[in-house]
Amino acid sequence: MKDSLFAIISQRKLTDSVYEMKLSGDISHITRSGQFVNLKIDGLYLRRPISVCDLDGDTLTLIYKRVGAGTEALSRMEPGDRLPILSGLGNGYDLSLAGEKPLLIGGGVGVPPLYLAAKLLRAAGKQVSVILGFNSAAEIFYEEEFRALGCRVTVTTVDGSRGVKGFVTDALPAEYSHVYTCGPEPMLRAVYRRIESGGSFSFEKRMGCGFGACMGCSCKTIAGYKRICREGPVLQKEEILWED
Ligand SMILES: Cc1cc2nc3c(=O)[nH]c(=O)nc-3n(C[C@H](O)[C@H](O)[C@H](O)COP(=O)(O)OP(=O)(O)OC[C@H]3O[C@@H](n4cnc5c(N)ncnc54)[C@H](O)[C@@H]3O)c2cc1C
Ligand code: FES
């Protein structure tokens, strides 16, 4: 884990409320896709966790949705502004579990961490299928970016305004070797129930410290309590215990 200053290189609006931010800084502590960084935003006590979307040289790409004070403040920042960032947090995805035909399933702002996973899996020569789930066509982002990596991409929208009408589970392919997924919990539950392979599931919890000190993000698993910020955010299918 490393606390350092990053400089904003660019901000791009991807949809009405979703932004892509590129920053330059020390990314040496980020070792896996599926990890996250914790951003210190001026005037806010708690840092805000955002998944690593991409790494390129010393450039870190984040994608975030404007939902409250922190992400609103982020959306107003400009190239040249600096952000204190704790990097290298969380366990991330274990890509050695992928097999030859990994399937990546993302819902809404669960899509970003799958981009770096897809890029690394393609570089390793895997046949990567991706399902991107959104509510409507207006919310879709990064479809072309995944296609440009050479992934087979299926988009689903709940209202049917683009792609397959319905949920990500309505578009599962016949064959896949392992599932990597991130998205809202109801989506993760549906994926858990439907898939026949092993799966790596990335969870979101409200966080305090973000690095294992406060226990604020503990969650019960088959193997006892785990801190989502430290032993997660990725849990394997076999260890997940759904609490009603
Ligand atoms: C490991 C991890 C990775 C994440 N990656 C991304 C990402 O790549 N892109 C992205 O847009 N968001 C991501 N999030 C969610 C993001 O951290 C929150 O949306 C953000 O902290 C909200 O801050 P805010 O000040 O704008 O909103 P707040 O004012 O804090 O909250 C506004 C609304 O968002 C909800 N909310 C806030 N934090 C969370 C959370 N952690 N989980 C679920 N709901 C929350 C609140 O309940 C409230 O309804 C991630 C969260 C975690 C734990
Ligand atoms: S957020 Fe503090 S232990 Fe996870």
PDB file of all heavy atoms in Angstrom, residues 1-9 22-31 35-38 52 54-62 82-89:
ATOM      1  N   MET A   1       0.848  -1.193   0.000  1.00  0.00           N
ATOM      2  CA  MET A   1       0.000   0.000   0.000  1.00  0.00           C
ATOM      3  C   MET A   1       0.893   1.256   0.000  1.00  0.00           C
ATOM      4  O   MET A   1       1.928   1.261   0.650  1.00  0.00           O
ATOM      5  CB  MET A   1      -0.858  -0.055   1.260  1.00  0.00           C
ATOM      6  CG  MET A   1      -1.589   1.174   1.611  1.00  0.00           C
ATOM      7  SD  MET A   1      -2.654   0.854   3.040  1.00  0.00           S
ATOM      8  CE  MET A   1      -1.608   1.344   4.394  1.00  0.00           C
ATOM      9  N   LYS A   2       0.474   2.252  -0.749  1.00  0.00           N
ATOM     10  CA  LYS A   2       1.293   3.468  -0.831  1.00  0.00           C
ATOM     11  C   LYS A   2       0.387   4.699  -0.843  1.00  0.00           C
ATOM     12  O   LYS A   2      -0.627   4.716  -1.552  1.00  0.00           O
ATOM     13  CB  LYS A   2       2.106   3.387  -2.115  1.00  0.00           C
ATOM     14  CG  LYS A   2       2.765   4.671  -2.518  1.00  0.00           C
ATOM     15  CD  LYS A   2       4.247   4.499  -2.672  1.00  0.00           C
ATOM     16  CE  LYS A   2       4.888   5.835  -2.939  1.00  0.00           C
ATOM     17  NZ  LYS A   2       6.281   5.856  -2.671  1.00  0.00           N
ATOM     18  N   ASP A   3       0.744   5.713  -0.048  1.00  0.00           N
ATOM     19  CA  ASP A   3       0.000   6.971  -0.055  1.00  0.00           C
ATOM     20  C   ASP A   3       0.830   7.986  -0.834  1.00  0.00           C
ATOM     21  O   ASP A   3       1.952   8.290  -0.435  1.00  0.00           O
ATOM     22  CB  ASP A   3      -0.188   7.450   1.398  1.00  0.00           C
ATOM     23  CG  ASP A   3      -1.243   8.536   1.506  1.00  0.00           C
ATOM     24  OD1 ASP A   3      -1.813   8.913   0.459  1.00  0.00           O
ATOM     25  OD2 ASP A   3      -1.494   9.003   2.630  1.00  0.00           O
ATOM     26  N   SER A   4       0.312   8.452  -1.954  1.00  0.00           N
ATOM     27  CA  SER A   4       1.098   9.422  -2.731  1.00  0.00           C
ATOM     28  C   SER A   4       0.172  10.362  -3.501  1.00  0.00           C
ATOM     29  O   SER A   4      -1.029  10.107  -3.630  1.00  0.00           O
ATOM     30  CB  SER A   4       2.041   8.681  -3.685  1.00  0.00           C
ATOM     31  OG  SER A   4       1.305   7.865  -4.560  1.00  0.00           O
ATOM     32  N   LEU A   5       0.764  11.416  -4.026  1.00  0.00           N
ATOM     33  CA  LEU A   5      -0.008  12.412  -4.771  1.00  0.00           C
ATOM     34  C   LEU A   5      -0.074  12.034  -6.244  1.00  0.00           C
ATOM     35  O   LEU A   5       0.951  11.717  -6.852  1.00  0.00           O
ATOM     36  CB  LEU A   5       0.679  13.769  -4.673  1.00  0.00           C
ATOM     37  CG  LEU A   5       0.268  14.745  -3.590  1.00  0.00           C
ATOM     38  CD1 LEU A   5       0.986  16.068  -3.798  1.00  0.00           C
ATOM     39  CD2 LEU A   5      -1.250  14.974  -3.582  1.00  0.00           C
ATOM     40  N   PHE A   6      -1.259  12.069  -6.792  1.00  0.00           N
ATOM     41  CA  PHE A   6      -1.443  11.846  -8.230  1.00  0.00           C
ATOM     42  C   PHE A   6      -1.903  13.162  -8.858  1.00  0.00           C
ATOM     43  O   PHE A   6      -2.616  13.942  -8.220  1.00  0.00           O
ATOM     44  CB  PHE A   6      -2.494  10.764  -8.491  1.00  0.00           C
ATOM     45  CG  PHE A   6      -1.976   9.358  -8.356  1.00  0.00           C
ATOM     46  CD1 PHE A   6      -1.555   8.870  -7.123  1.00  0.00           C
ATOM     47  CD2 PHE A   6      -1.911   8.512  -9.455  1.00  0.00           C
ATOM     48  CE1 PHE A   6      -1.070   7.577  -6.988  1.00  0.00           C
ATOM     49  CE2 PHE A   6      -1.424   7.216  -9.335  1.00  0.00           C
ATOM     50  CZ  PHE A   6      -1.008   6.747  -8.098  1.00  0.00           C
ATOM     51  N   ALA A   7      -1.516  13.374 -10.118  1.00  0.00           N
ATOM     52  CA  ALA A   7      -1.947  14.580 -10.838  1.00  0.00           C
ATOM     53  C   ALA A   7      -2.970  14.174 -11.903  1.00  0.00           C
ATOM     54  O   ALA A   7      -2.764  13.192 -12.635  1.00  0.00           O
ATOM     55  CB  ALA A   7      -0.748  15.239 -11.501  1.00  0.00           C
ATOM     56  N   ILE A   8      -4.051  14.914 -11.958  1.00  0.00           N
ATOM     57  CA  ILE A   8      -5.082  14.609 -12.957  1.00  0.00           C
ATOM     58  C   ILE A   8      -4.576  15.003 -14.347  1.00  0.00           C
ATOM     59  O   ILE A   8      -4.091  16.115 -14.556  1.00  0.00           O
ATOM     60  CB  ILE A   8      -6.400  15.341 -12.633  1.00  0.00           C
ATOM     61  CG1 ILE A   8      -6.935  14.837 -11.287  1.00  0.00           C
ATOM     62  CG2 ILE A   8      -7.437  15.144 -13.751  1.00  0.00           C
ATOM     63  CD1 ILE A   8      -8.154  15.574 -10.784  1.00  0.00           C
ATOM     64  N   ILE A   9      -4.675  14.055 -15.287  1.00  0.00           N
ATOM     65  CA  ILE A   9      -4.260  14.327 -16.674  1.00  0.00           C
ATOM     66  C   ILE A   9      -5.486  14.725 -17.505  1.00  0.00           C
ATOM     67  O   ILE A   9      -5.441  15.628 -18.320  1.00  0.00           O
ATOM     68  CB  ILE A   9      -3.641  13.067 -17.326  1.00  0.00           C
ATOM     69  CG1 ILE A   9      -2.452  12.556 -16.518  1.00  0.00           C
ATOM     70  CG2 ILE A   9      -3.261  13.316 -18.763  1.00  0.00           C
ATOM     71  CD1 ILE A   9      -1.964  11.188 -16.996  1.00  0.00           C
ATOM     72  N   LYS A  22      -8.156  10.195 -15.813  1.00  0.00           N
ATOM     73  CA  LYS A  22      -6.799   9.659 -15.935  1.00  0.00           C
ATOM     74  C   LYS A  22      -5.876  10.482 -15.053  1.00  0.00           C
ATOM     75  O   LYS A  22      -5.958  11.711 -15.025  1.00  0.00           O
ATOM     76  CB  LYS A  22      -6.336   9.696 -17.396  1.00  0.00           C
ATOM     77  CG  LYS A  22      -7.064   8.665 -18.265  1.00  0.00           C
ATOM     78  CD  LYS A  22      -6.490   8.607 -19.667  1.00  0.00           C
ATOM     79  CE  LYS A  22      -7.302   7.674 -20.549  1.00  0.00           C
ATOM     80  NZ  LYS A  22      -6.980   6.261 -20.322  1.00  0.00           N
ATOM     81  N   LEU A  23      -4.996   9.776 -14.336  1.00  0.00           N
ATOM     82  CA  LEU A  23      -4.081  10.450 -13.403  1.00  0.00           C
ATOM     83  C   LEU A  23      -2.678   9.887 -13.575  1.00  0.00           C
ATOM     84  O   LEU A  23      -2.525   8.714 -13.935  1.00  0.00           O
ATOM     85  CB  LEU A  23      -4.510  10.183 -11.955  1.00  0.00           C
ATOM     86  CG  LEU A  23      -5.954  10.507 -11.583  1.00  0.00           C
ATOM     87  CD1 LEU A  23      -6.721   9.226 -11.329  1.00  0.00           C
ATOM     88  CD2 LEU A  23      -5.998  11.369 -10.340  1.00  0.00           C
ATOM     89  N   SER A  24      -1.685  10.723 -13.304  1.00  0.00           N
ATOM     90  CA  SER A  24      -0.333  10.168 -13.330  1.00  0.00           C
ATOM     91  C   SER A  24       0.239  10.200 -11.925  1.00  0.00           C
ATOM     92  O   SER A  24      -0.022  11.128 -11.137  1.00  0.00           O
ATOM     93  CB  SER A  24       0.551  10.905 -14.334  1.00  0.00           C
ATOM     94  OG  SER A  24       1.056  12.057 -13.765  1.00  0.00           O
ATOM     95  N   GLY A  25       1.006   9.138 -11.604  1.00  0.00           N
ATOM     96  CA  GLY A  25       1.570   9.020 -10.263  1.00  0.00           C
ATOM     97  C   GLY A  25       2.261   7.684 -10.112  1.00  0.00           C
ATOM     98  O   GLY A  25       2.460   6.963 -11.097  1.00  0.00           O
ATOM     99  N   ASP A  26       2.580   7.347  -8.876  1.00  0.00           N
ATOM    100  CA  ASP A  26       3.312   6.103  -8.606  1.00  0.00           C
ATOM    101  C   ASP A  26       2.319   4.938  -8.516  1.00  0.00           C
ATOM    102  O   ASP A  26       1.612   4.789  -7.522  1.00  0.00           O
ATOM    103  CB  ASP A  26       4.072   6.274  -7.285  1.00  0.00           C
ATOM    104  CG  ASP A  26       4.880   5.029  -6.946  1.00  0.00           C
ATOM    105  OD1 ASP A  26       4.780   4.022  -7.682  1.00  0.00           O
ATOM    106  OD2 ASP A  26       5.610   5.073  -5.942  1.00  0.00           O
ATOM    107  N   ILE A  27       2.293   4.116  -9.566  1.00  0.00           N
ATOM    108  CA  ILE A  27       1.340   2.995  -9.578  1.00  0.00           C
ATOM    109  C   ILE A  27       2.017   1.675  -9.208  1.00  0.00           C
ATOM    110  O   ILE A  27       1.430   0.605  -9.370  1.00  0.00           O
ATOM    111  CB  ILE A  27       0.649   2.862 -10.966  1.00  0.00           C
ATOM    112  CG1 ILE A  27       1.710   2.676 -12.064  1.00  0.00           C
ATOM    113  CG2 ILE A  27      -0.257   4.039 -11.257  1.00  0.00           C
ATOM    114  CD1 ILE A  27       1.122   2.184 -13.362  1.00  0.00           C
ATOM    115  N   SER A  28       3.252   1.763  -8.678  1.00  0.00           N
ATOM    116  CA  SER A  28       4.039   0.541  -8.470  1.00  0.00           C
ATOM    117  C   SER A  28       3.417  -0.420  -7.444  1.00  0.00           C
ATOM    118  O   SER A  28       3.734  -1.606  -7.445  1.00  0.00           O
ATOM    119  CB  SER A  28       5.461   0.904  -8.031  1.00  0.00           C
ATOM    120  OG  SER A  28       5.407   1.640  -6.824  1.00  0.00           O
ATOM    121  N   HIS A  29       2.516   0.081  -6.586  1.00  0.00           N
ATOM    122  CA  HIS A  29       1.932  -0.808  -5.586  1.00  0.00           C
ATOM    123  C   HIS A  29       0.650  -1.488  -6.076  1.00  0.00           C
ATOM    124  O   HIS A  29       0.042  -2.275  -5.355  1.00  0.00           O
ATOM    125  CB  HIS A  29       1.687  -0.054  -4.278  1.00  0.00           C
ATOM    126  CG  HIS A  29       2.951   0.177  -3.518  1.00  0.00           C
ATOM    127  ND1 HIS A  29       3.952   0.988  -4.010  1.00  0.00           N
ATOM    128  CD2 HIS A  29       3.406  -0.321  -2.348  1.00  0.00           C
ATOM    129  CE1 HIS A  29       4.970   0.989  -3.158  1.00  0.00           C
ATOM    130  NE2 HIS A  29       4.655   0.197  -2.145  1.00  0.00           N
ATOM    131  N   ILE A  30       0.223  -1.152  -7.283  1.00  0.00           N
ATOM    132  CA  ILE A  30      -0.980  -1.808  -7.834  1.00  0.00           C
ATOM    133  C   ILE A  30      -0.492  -3.039  -8.596  1.00  0.00           C
ATOM    134  O   ILE A  30       0.231  -2.925  -9.585  1.00  0.00           O
ATOM    135  CB  ILE A  30      -1.758  -0.854  -8.761  1.00  0.00           C
ATOM    136  CG1 ILE A  30      -2.086   0.443  -8.008  1.00  0.00           C
ATOM    137  CG2 ILE A  30      -3.025  -1.529  -9.274  1.00  0.00           C
ATOM    138  CD1 ILE A  30      -2.717   1.524  -8.879  1.00  0.00           C
ATOM    139  N   THR A  31      -0.870  -4.206  -8.097  1.00  0.00           N
ATOM    140  CA  THR A  31      -0.285  -5.431  -8.652  1.00  0.00           C
ATOM    141  C   THR A  31      -1.289  -6.308  -9.389  1.00  0.00           C
ATOM    142  O   THR A  31      -0.889  -7.220 -10.097  1.00  0.00           O
ATOM    143  CB  THR A  31       0.356  -6.262  -7.523  1.00  0.00           C
ATOM    144  OG1 THR A  31      -0.625  -6.446  -6.494  1.00  0.00           O
ATOM    145  CG2 THR A  31       1.562  -5.543  -6.933  1.00  0.00           C
ATOM    146  N   GLN A  35      -8.102  -4.563  -7.949  1.00  0.00           N
ATOM    147  CA  GLN A  35      -7.746  -3.802  -6.748  1.00  0.00           C
ATOM    148  C   GLN A  35      -8.405  -2.424  -6.817  1.00  0.00           C
ATOM    149  O   GLN A  35      -8.962  -2.049  -7.852  1.00  0.00           O
ATOM    150  CB  GLN A  35      -6.229  -3.647  -6.653  1.00  0.00           C
ATOM    151  CG  GLN A  35      -5.518  -4.934  -6.283  1.00  0.00           C
ATOM    152  CD  GLN A  35      -4.036  -4.712  -6.040  1.00  0.00           C
ATOM    153  OE1 GLN A  35      -3.349  -4.086  -6.830  1.00  0.00           O
ATOM    154  NE2 GLN A  35      -3.533  -5.240  -4.944  1.00  0.00           N
ATOM    155  N   PHE A  36      -8.315  -1.687  -5.711  1.00  0.00           N
ATOM    156  CA  PHE A  36      -8.907  -0.357  -5.720  1.00  0.00           C
ATOM    157  C   PHE A  36      -7.965   0.655  -5.103  1.00  0.00           C
ATOM    158  O   PHE A  36      -6.944   0.292  -4.504  1.00  0.00           O
ATOM    159  CB  PHE A  36     -10.273  -0.352  -5.002  1.00  0.00           C
ATOM    160  CG  PHE A  36     -10.221  -0.665  -3.542  1.00  0.00           C
ATOM    161  CD1 PHE A  36     -10.210   0.348  -2.601  1.00  0.00           C
ATOM    162  CD2 PHE A  36     -10.192  -1.975  -3.083  1.00  0.00           C
ATOM    163  CE1 PHE A  36     -10.161   0.076  -1.228  1.00  0.00           C
ATOM    164  CE2 PHE A  36     -10.135  -2.265  -1.725  1.00  0.00           C
ATOM    165  CZ  PHE A  36     -10.123  -1.245  -0.806  1.00  0.00           C
ATOM    166  N   VAL A  37      -8.277   1.929  -5.310  1.00  0.00           N
ATOM    167  CA  VAL A  37      -7.523   3.009  -4.682  1.00  0.00           C
ATOM    168  C   VAL A  37      -8.491   3.779  -3.785  1.00  0.00           C
ATOM    169  O   VAL A  37      -9.709   3.678  -3.951  1.00  0.00           O
ATOM    170  CB  VAL A  37      -6.888   3.959  -5.735  1.00  0.00           C
ATOM    171  CG1 VAL A  37      -5.860   3.220  -6.576  1.00  0.00           C
ATOM    172  CG2 VAL A  37      -7.949   4.605  -6.625  1.00  0.00           C
ATOM    173  N   ASN A  38      -7.956   4.521  -2.822  1.00  0.00           N
ATOM    174  CA  ASN A  38      -8.806   5.279  -1.904  1.00  0.00           C
ATOM    175  C   ASN A  38      -8.415   6.753  -2.014  1.00  0.00           C
ATOM    176  O   ASN A  38      -7.276   7.119  -1.728  1.00  0.00           O
ATOM    177  CB  ASN A  38      -8.612   4.743  -0.473  1.00  0.00           C
ATOM    178  CG  ASN A  38      -9.930   4.652   0.280  1.00  0.00           C
ATOM    179  OD1 ASN A  38     -10.981   5.065  -0.234  1.00  0.00           O
ATOM    180  ND2 ASN A  38      -9.897   4.121   1.478  1.00  0.00           N
ATOM    181  N   VAL A  52      -9.518   0.203  -9.722  1.00  0.00           N
ATOM    182  CA  VAL A  52      -8.542   0.455 -10.792  1.00  0.00           C
ATOM    183  C   VAL A  52      -9.169  -0.045 -12.097  1.00  0.00           C
ATOM    184  O   VAL A  52      -9.538  -1.215 -12.209  1.00  0.00           O
ATOM    185  CB  VAL A  52      -7.235  -0.318 -10.513  1.00  0.00           C
ATOM    186  CG1 VAL A  52      -6.302  -0.260 -11.707  1.00  0.00           C
ATOM    187  CG2 VAL A  52      -6.568   0.232  -9.253  1.00  0.00           C
ATOM    188  N   ASP A  54      -7.707   0.871 -15.356  1.00  0.00           N
ATOM    189  CA  ASP A  54      -6.621   0.576 -16.286  1.00  0.00           C
ATOM    190  C   ASP A  54      -5.322   1.171 -15.763  1.00  0.00           C
ATOM    191  O   ASP A  54      -5.332   2.138 -14.988  1.00  0.00           O
ATOM    192  CB  ASP A  54      -6.942   1.160 -17.677  1.00  0.00           C
ATOM    193  CG  ASP A  54      -6.005   0.633 -18.753  1.00  0.00           C
ATOM    194  OD1 ASP A  54      -5.360  -0.424 -18.539  1.00  0.00           O
ATOM    195  OD2 ASP A  54      -5.904   1.269 -19.825  1.00  0.00           O
ATOM    196  N   LEU A  55      -4.227   0.578 -16.219  1.00  0.00           N
ATOM    197  CA  LEU A  55      -2.877   1.062 -15.927  1.00  0.00           C
ATOM    198  C   LEU A  55      -2.133   1.092 -17.235  1.00  0.00           C
ATOM    199  O   LEU A  55      -2.238   0.146 -18.030  1.00  0.00           O
ATOM    200  CB  LEU A  55      -2.144   0.082 -14.997  1.00  0.00           C
ATOM    201  CG  LEU A  55      -2.702  -0.149 -13.606  1.00  0.00           C
ATOM    202  CD1 LEU A  55      -1.919  -1.267 -12.924  1.00  0.00           C
ATOM    203  CD2 LEU A  55      -2.636   1.130 -12.785  1.00  0.00           C
ATOM    204  N   ASP A  56      -1.385   2.170 -17.458  1.00  0.00           N
ATOM    205  CA  ASP A  56      -0.608   2.258 -18.690  1.00  0.00           C
ATOM    206  C   ASP A  56       0.580   3.174 -18.412  1.00  0.00           C
ATOM    207  O   ASP A  56       0.385   4.371 -18.208  1.00  0.00           O
ATOM    208  CB  ASP A  56      -1.507   2.844 -19.800  1.00  0.00           C
ATOM    209  CG  ASP A  56      -0.872   2.705 -21.155  1.00  0.00           C
ATOM    210  OD1 ASP A  56       0.201   2.086 -21.251  1.00  0.00           O
ATOM    211  OD2 ASP A  56      -1.460   3.229 -22.127  1.00  0.00           O
ATOM    212  N   GLY A  57       1.794   2.626 -18.365  1.00  0.00           N
ATOM    213  CA  GLY A  57       2.949   3.428 -17.963  1.00  0.00           C
ATOM    214  C   GLY A  57       2.734   3.898 -16.533  1.00  0.00           C
ATOM    215  O   GLY A  57       2.502   3.077 -15.639  1.00  0.00           O
ATOM    216  N   ASP A  58       2.767   5.208 -16.300  1.00  0.00           N
ATOM    217  CA  ASP A  58       2.463   5.685 -14.937  1.00  0.00           C
ATOM    218  C   ASP A  58       1.064   6.299 -14.878  1.00  0.00           C
ATOM    219  O   ASP A  58       0.738   7.077 -13.994  1.00  0.00           O
ATOM    220  CB  ASP A  58       3.537   6.685 -14.445  1.00  0.00           C
ATOM    221  CG  ASP A  58       3.455   8.027 -15.182  1.00  0.00           C
ATOM    222  OD1 ASP A  58       2.742   8.110 -16.206  1.00  0.00           O
ATOM    223  OD2 ASP A  58       4.091   8.995 -14.717  1.00  0.00           O
ATOM    224  N   THR A  59       0.220   5.926 -15.855  1.00  0.00           N
ATOM    225  CA  THR A  59      -1.143   6.478 -15.905  1.00  0.00           C
ATOM    226  C   THR A  59      -2.154   5.499 -15.327  1.00  0.00           C
ATOM    227  O   THR A  59      -2.207   4.328 -15.721  1.00  0.00           O
ATOM    228  CB  THR A  59      -1.521   6.821 -17.360  1.00  0.00           C
ATOM    229  OG1 THR A  59      -0.582   7.752 -17.863  1.00  0.00           O
ATOM    230  CG2 THR A  59      -2.920   7.425 -17.439  1.00  0.00           C
ATOM    231  N   LEU A  60      -2.937   6.015 -14.394  1.00  0.00           N
ATOM    232  CA  LEU A  60      -4.003   5.241 -13.757  1.00  0.00           C
ATOM    233  C   LEU A  60      -5.334   5.762 -14.285  1.00  0.00           C
ATOM    234  O   LEU A  60      -5.567   6.964 -14.301  1.00  0.00           O
ATOM    235  CB  LEU A  60      -3.911   5.476 -12.232  1.00  0.00           C
ATOM    236  CG  LEU A  60      -5.099   5.089 -11.365  1.00  0.00           C
ATOM    237  CD1 LEU A  60      -5.254   3.568 -11.332  1.00  0.00           C
ATOM    238  CD2 LEU A  60      -4.909   5.622  -9.936  1.00  0.00           C
ATOM    239  N   THR A  61      -6.196   4.855 -14.752  1.00  0.00           N
ATOM    240  CA  THR A  61      -7.530   5.265 -15.191  1.00  0.00           C
ATOM    241  C   THR A  61      -8.568   4.801 -14.184  1.00  0.00           C
ATOM    242  O   THR A  61      -8.564   3.631 -13.771  1.00  0.00           O
ATOM    243  CB  THR A  61      -7.862   4.664 -16.573  1.00  0.00           C
ATOM    244  OG1 THR A  61      -6.857   5.052 -17.499  1.00  0.00           O
ATOM    245  CG2 THR A  61      -9.224   5.126 -17.076  1.00  0.00           C
ATOM    246  N   LEU A  62      -9.433   5.731 -13.795  1.00  0.00           N
ATOM    247  CA  LEU A  62     -10.558   5.422 -12.902  1.00  0.00           C
ATOM    248  C   LEU A  62     -11.850   5.798 -13.614  1.00  0.00           C
ATOM    249  O   LEU A  62     -11.860   6.747 -14.407  1.00  0.00           O
ATOM    250  CB  LEU A  62     -10.462   6.254 -11.611  1.00  0.00           C
ATOM    251  CG  LEU A  62      -9.164   6.181 -10.814  1.00  0.00           C
ATOM    252  CD1 LEU A  62      -9.225   7.145  -9.629  1.00  0.00           C
ATOM    253  CD2 LEU A  62      -8.904   4.764 -10.323  1.00  0.00           C
ATOM    254  N   ARG A  82      -4.306  18.011  -8.075  1.00  0.00           N
ATOM    255  CA  ARG A  82      -3.663  16.864  -7.454  1.00  0.00           C
ATOM    256  C   ARG A  82      -4.549  16.201  -6.418  1.00  0.00           C
ATOM    257  O   ARG A  82      -5.341  16.875  -5.765  1.00  0.00           O
ATOM    258  CB  ARG A  82      -2.359  17.299  -6.777  1.00  0.00           C
ATOM    259  CG  ARG A  82      -1.288  17.550  -7.791  1.00  0.00           C
ATOM    260  CD  ARG A  82      -0.113  18.301  -7.231  1.00  0.00           C
ATOM    261  NE  ARG A  82       0.718  18.735  -8.328  1.00  0.00           N
ATOM    262  CZ  ARG A  82       1.657  17.982  -8.901  1.00  0.00           C
ATOM    263  NH1 ARG A  82       1.888  16.764  -8.455  1.00  0.00           N
ATOM    264  NH2 ARG A  82       2.348  18.436  -9.914  1.00  0.00           N
ATOM    265  N   LEU A  83      -4.424  14.873  -6.303  1.00  0.00           N
ATOM    266  CA  LEU A  83      -5.239  14.095  -5.377  1.00  0.00           C
ATOM    267  C   LEU A  83      -4.347  13.153  -4.572  1.00  0.00           C
ATOM    268  O   LEU A  83      -3.587  12.371  -5.170  1.00  0.00           O
ATOM    269  CB  LEU A  83      -6.194  13.211  -6.178  1.00  0.00           C
ATOM    270  CG  LEU A  83      -7.618  13.631  -6.445  1.00  0.00           C
ATOM    271  CD1 LEU A  83      -8.313  12.565  -7.287  1.00  0.00           C
ATOM    272  CD2 LEU A  83      -8.382  13.812  -5.135  1.00  0.00           C
ATOM    273  N   PRO A  84      -4.456  13.180  -3.221  1.00  0.00           N
ATOM    274  CA  PRO A  84      -3.755  12.168  -2.430  1.00  0.00           C
ATOM    275  C   PRO A  84      -4.476  10.815  -2.581  1.00  0.00           C
ATOM    276  O   PRO A  84      -5.698  10.740  -2.387  1.00  0.00           O
ATOM    277  CB  PRO A  84      -3.870  12.682  -0.996  1.00  0.00           C
ATOM    278  CG  PRO A  84      -4.337  14.106  -1.112  1.00  0.00           C
ATOM    279  CD  PRO A  84      -5.118  14.180  -2.379  1.00  0.00           C
ATOM    280  N   ILE A  85      -3.726   9.802  -2.955  1.00  0.00           N
ATOM    281  CA  ILE A  85      -4.340   8.499  -3.229  1.00  0.00           C
ATOM    282  C   ILE A  85      -3.586   7.381  -2.511  1.00  0.00           C
ATOM    283  O   ILE A  85      -2.362   7.292  -2.596  1.00  0.00           O
ATOM    284  CB  ILE A  85      -4.344   8.220  -4.760  1.00  0.00           C
ATOM    285  CG1 ILE A  85      -5.305   9.182  -5.456  1.00  0.00           C
ATOM    286  CG2 ILE A  85      -4.705   6.771  -5.056  1.00  0.00           C
ATOM    287  CD1 ILE A  85      -5.473   8.908  -6.945  1.00  0.00           C
ATOM    288  N   LEU A  86      -4.363   6.538  -1.802  1.00  0.00           N
ATOM    289  CA  LEU A  86      -3.795   5.303  -1.247  1.00  0.00           C
ATOM    290  C   LEU A  86      -3.975   4.242  -2.332  1.00  0.00           C
ATOM    291  O   LEU A  86      -5.109   3.954  -2.737  1.00  0.00           O
ATOM    292  CB  LEU A  86      -4.616   4.874  -0.030  1.00  0.00           C
ATOM    293  CG  LEU A  86      -4.158   5.229   1.370  1.00  0.00           C
ATOM    294  CD1 LEU A  86      -5.136   4.630   2.378  1.00  0.00           C
ATOM    295  CD2 LEU A  86      -2.753   4.721   1.640  1.00  0.00           C
ATOM    296  N   SER A  87      -2.876   3.665  -2.784  1.00  0.00           N
ATOM    297  CA  SER A  87      -2.993   2.694  -3.891  1.00  0.00           C
ATOM    298  C   SER A  87      -2.544   1.308  -3.454  1.00  0.00           C
ATOM    299  O   SER A  87      -1.908   1.150  -2.410  1.00  0.00           O
ATOM    300  CB  SER A  87      -2.170   3.163  -5.087  1.00  0.00           C
ATOM    301  OG  SER A  87      -0.811   3.220  -4.734  1.00  0.00           O
ATOM    302  N   GLY A  88      -2.909   0.328  -4.287  1.00  0.00           N
ATOM    303  CA  GLY A  88      -2.503  -1.057  -3.990  1.00  0.00           C
ATOM    304  C   GLY A  88      -3.395  -1.697  -2.935  1.00  0.00           C
ATOM    305  O   GLY A  88      -2.945  -2.531  -2.151  1.00  0.00           O
ATOM    306  N   LEU A  89      -4.681  -1.335  -2.906  1.00  0.00           N
ATOM    307  CA  LEU A  89      -5.591  -1.869  -1.882  1.00  0.00           C
ATOM    308  C   LEU A  89      -6.416  -3.038  -2.419  1.00  0.00           C
ATOM    309  O   LEU A  89      -6.830  -3.051  -3.586  1.00  0.00           O
ATOM    310  CB  LEU A  89      -6.534  -0.758  -1.402  1.00  0.00           C
ATOM    311  CG  LEU A  89      -5.847   0.485  -0.822  1.00  0.00           C
ATOM    312  CD1 LEU A  89      -6.875   1.552  -0.483  1.00  0.00           C
ATOM    313  CD2 LEU A  89      -5.016   0.133   0.394  1.00  0.00           C
TER     314      LEU A  89
END
